[in-house]
Amino acid sequence: MSKKTIIAIMYDFDKTLCTKNMQEYSFIPNMGLSEKEFWDASNELSKKQQMDGVLAYMWQMIFESKRNAKSIHRKDFVELGKSLEFYDGVSEWFDRIRDYGKEKGIQVEHYIISSGLKEIIEGSSIYKKFKDVYACEFMYDENDIACWPKNVVNYTTKTQFLFRINKGVSDLSDDKTLNDFIPEDERRIPFRNMIYIADGITDVPCMKLVKVNGGYSIAVYQKNKKNTAEELLKDNRVNFISPANYKEGSELDKLMKDIIAEISMKDELVKLHLNQKKKV
């Protein structure tokens, strides 16, 4: 009996599901800063210290909290997740797409791969919709105050998590199993059954990796801001582009259902091929 087909739909978070960078809803205003002031300071630190940009913003968050005498406990970050605003239809999207997969005999799993903060995502209304969330995290001291980056997810390290999903290795401390050789058709979710949804340049390595391995990459864009998505399509880095509208009947909704239907048919053909090959 052949194993059940599983599809992994992987999402960036900032500007892909929510409308702007997650730090901009509550954290930055709470520190008395404008968005420009915070990001300018973070970018300046990155350039001056020749520092990874994601590490720079995490350091800047700790610096600003200390400067304002507003210690950030883990629960405070989680609380910030309640302020996130999502694109139209996001809240209903995950269950609807999962149910459509069931109609096609497919198990659909949703994942986040983000350079944002896992703690903030955890406090959002959609957190429980995901099988796994891979994002940046802080370490906390004995007083539960953020003191050091624990996990950092930048535009190149994001690709690691594609392979974790591909092989079914969710334990971040387990590098051995992640790097063990496993034939593609024996992996939990082959790349051909992966769909990656994101908004921009920082997701290019993941988009391209999924696409060249037979999966599907979709660049979403805000209304009247489709230049980046069009460039990604022109340069063959994504399969499709779509407005970031997750409502039922939207362009993205129809596209996703078409992709799931195609994966369902292709996967049956792959299984037939492998079964016939075993008999030869």
Side-chain angles (χ1 to χ4, degrees):
M1 185 176 180
S2 61
K3 66 178 183 179
K4 189 177 183 68
T5 300
I6 306 173
I7 290 179
I9 307 178
M10 300 157 292
Y11 309 81
D12 178 38
F13 199 86
D14 295 345
K15 301 178 184 177
T16 296
L17 296 174
C18 63
T19 57
K20 56 184 179 179
N21 293 318
M22 62 180 67
Q23 299 86 351
E24 296 168 6
Y25 292 99
S26 297
F27 178 83
I28 293 175
N30 288 349
M31 295 298 133
L33 298 170
S34 67
E35 295 169 11
K36 185 177 186 305
E37 287 172 327
F38 177 85
W39 294 116
D40 282 353
S42 175
N43 292 334
E44 183 179 347
L45 174 67
S46 177
K47 290 177 182 178
K48 183 178 179 180
Q49 298 293 337
Q50 290 293 286
M51 184 179 184
D52 178 88
V54 176
L55 279 169
Y57 97 65
M58 294 179 77
W59 185 93
Q60 195 68 33
M61 291 181 81
I62 292 177
F63 171 80
E64 294 296 344
S65 68
K66 289 181 177 178
R67 185 176 66 85
N68 286 276
K70 294 182 178 180
S71 296
I72 298 294
H73 298 77
R74 192 180 192 285
K75 62 180 177 60
D76 297 323
F77 276 129
V78 174
E79 186 67 21
L80 294 177
K82 295 180 180 179
S83 66
L84 301 181
E85 297 174 7
F86 298 104
Y87 290 119
D88 289 345
V90 165
S91 297
E92 302 82 30
W93 165 271
F94 306 100
D95 290 338
R96 185 173 71 249
I97 297 302
R98 190 180 293 116
D99 289 343
Y100 182 78
K102 286 180 182 177
E103 291 176 19
K104 297 294 180 181
I106 282 177
Q107 180 177 323
V108 174
E109 296 176 352
H110 302 286
Y111 296 83
I112 291 291
I113 305 177
S114 171
S115 294
L117 288 177
K118 183 176 181 179
E119 294 92 328
I120 295 180
I121 297 172
E122 187 178 321
S124 73
S125 60
I126 62 174
Y127 175 69
K128 292 183 179 179
K129 303 297 182 181
F130 304 103
K131 181 172 177 62
D132 271 310
V133 173
Y134 300 110
C136 300
E137 292 181 83
F138 283 106
M139 262 180 46
Y140 296 87
D141 64 18
E142 64 277 8
N143 297 311
D144 198 34
I145 296 173
C147 61
W148 193 262
K150 182 172 82 170
N151 289 313
V152 176
V153 181
N154 64 26
Y155 70 100
T156 51
T157 59
K158 280 187 173 187
T159 57
Q160 169 196 163
F161 303 105
L162 297 181
F163 287 99
R164 288 192 177 279
I165 295 166
N166 172 239
K167 293 183 175 182
V169 184
S170 58
D171 181 354
L172 298 189
S173 68
D174 184 358
D175 294 331
K176 182 185 181 304
T177 308
L178 179 63
N179 290 301
D180 283 345
F181 173 74
I182 304 172
E184 180 67 10
D185 285 307
E186 294 178 19
R187 299 182 184 189
R188 185 172 184 272
I189 306 177
F191 274 98
R192 66 177 181 270
N193 292 354
M194 289 185 167
I195 305 164
Y196 194 89
I197 304 178
D199 70 292
I201 296 300
T202 58
D203 292 284
V204 164
C206 283
M207 289 173 162
K208 189 71 173 179
L209 182 60
V210 169
K211 182 176 181 291
V212 300
N213 282 285
Y216 301 82
S217 291
I218 304 170
V220 295
Y221 57 87
Q222 296 182 20
K223 189 176 181 180
N224 301 322
K225 295 182 180 179
K226 63 190 298 187
N227 290 350
T228 298
E230 288 177 332
E231 285 298 314
L232 291 171
L233 184 63
K234 178 181 174 183
D235 295 337
N236 292 314
R237 292 174 163 184
V238 298
N239 301 89
F240 306 102
I241 65 175
S242 172
N245 180 345
Y246 294 79
K247 284 185 174 181
E248 187 169 10
S250 67
E251 183 177 329
L252 183 59
D253 180 71
K254 293 175 182 176
L255 174 60
M256 180 58 66
K257 289 174 179 175
D258 285 344
I259 291 173
I260 290 172
E262 181 175 60
I263 289 175
S264 175
M265 290 187 289
K266 286 171 63 177
D267 208 60
E268 288 303 313
L269 291 174
V270 168
K271 289 175 182 176
L272 175 62
H273 166 73
L274 293 174
N275 287 333
Q276 290 182 344
K277 196 173 178 181
K278 287 178 183 177
K279 297 175 183 178
V280 174

